Amino acid sequence: MDSTFDATINKALEYSDLLQPARKYQIAEFKVPKLEISTKKEFESLIGIKINNWIITTALQWIDFQLNEKGAILKSKAHIRMLRSIESPVEEKAIHLLFDQPFLLMLKNRNADYPYFVIWVNNKDIMLQ
């Protein structure tokens, strides 16, 4: 893991570009841990943040993720509820996202410059095998 999330993604993408010539060979064996993650997260740190004349009162996200030797499926849904405020806008809070070892997983469309999903898995409880 590099010093920033963006640096980690860029390094992983650079490494995958180095492996491009190896794709012309037939893969003899491919093993990936089967993962199944289904979670609901309430972002309490967002509640009370004011954006213009609105206040966040609810911030939820649901994620369903599956990974196996055939590929990956990602479903994500978010819900944010806001109420109109009569107060003047205030400065927004910064959000910090931290990821740890043991491995990084990125999902990226072939023609895209950057991935649309990245996960750093370090919890054996979500691994099926």
Side-chain angles (χ1 to χ4, degrees), residues 90-105:
V90 296
E91 196 172 311
E92 296 180 30
K93 294 181 184 176
I95 300 171
H96 300 273
L97 301 174
L98 304 173
F99 293 86
D100 286 325
Q101 53 187 336
F103 70 88
L104 175 74
L105 174 68

Side-chain angles (χ1 to χ4, degrees), residues 27-70:
I27 297 172
E29 183 177 28
F30 177 70
K31 289 185 179 181
V32 63
K34 292 182 181 179
L35 303 177
E36 217 171 81
I37 303 168
S38 184
T39 184
K40 175 184 170 185
K41 168 84 172 156
E42 182 173 3
F43 293 90
E44 294 175 6
S45 62
L46 296 178
I47 297 183
I49 291 179
K50 297 176 184 178
I51 302 172
N52 295 327
N53 290 330
W54 295 88
I55 299 173
I56 297 175
T57 59
T58 305
L60 301 169
Q61 182 180 24
W62 294 266
I63 296 174
D64 289 316
F65 177 73
Q66 296 175 356
L67 174 70
N68 60 35
E69 65 281 349
K70 294 179 184 176

Side-chain angles (χ1 to χ4, degrees), residues 2-128:
D2 277 326
S3 60
T4 67
F5 188 60
D6 190 47
T8 301
I9 290 172
N10 287 328
K11 190 171 190 175
L13 290 171
E14 184 180 307
Y15 181 71
S16 70
D17 288 342
L18 295 173
L19 296 178
Q20 290 289 341
R23 292 185 182 168
K24 67 182 177 183
Y25 300 105
Q26 184 177 0
I27 297 172
E29 183 177 28
F30 177 70
K31 289 185 179 181
V32 63
K34 292 182 181 179
L35 303 177
E36 217 171 81
I37 303 168
S38 184
T39 184
K40 175 184 170 185
K41 168 84 172 156
E42 182 173 3
F43 293 90
E44 294 175 6
S45 62
L46 296 178
I47 297 183
I49 291 179
K50 297 176 184 178
I51 302 172
N52 295 327
N53 290 330
W54 295 88
I55 299 173
I56 297 175
T57 59
T58 305
L60 301 169
Q61 182 180 24
W62 294 266
I63 296 174
D64 289 316
F65 177 73
Q66 296 175 356
L67 174 70
N68 60 35
E69 65 281 349
K70 294 179 184 176
I73 297 172
L74 172 66
K75 295 177 186 175
S76 179
K77 175 171 75 167
H79 172 81
I80 295 179
R81 178 176 288 154
M82 301 176 84
L83 293 177
R84 189 94 161 134
S85 169
I86 58 172
E87 296 179 26
S88 61
V90 296
E91 196 172 311
E92 296 180 30
K93 294 181 184 176
I95 300 171
H96 300 273
L97 301 174
L98 304 173
F99 293 86
D100 286 325
Q101 53 187 336
F103 70 88
L104 175 74
L105 174 68
M106 298 188 314
L107 302 180
K108 179 176 106 43
N109 289 324
R110 290 179 198 252
N111 297 326
D113 291 332
Y114 290 95
Y116 61 87
F117 179 75
V118 178
I119 185 171
W120 188 269
V121 179
N122 75 339
N123 184 341
K124 291 184 181 179
D125 295 339
I126 63 170
M127 294 184 192
L128 299 180

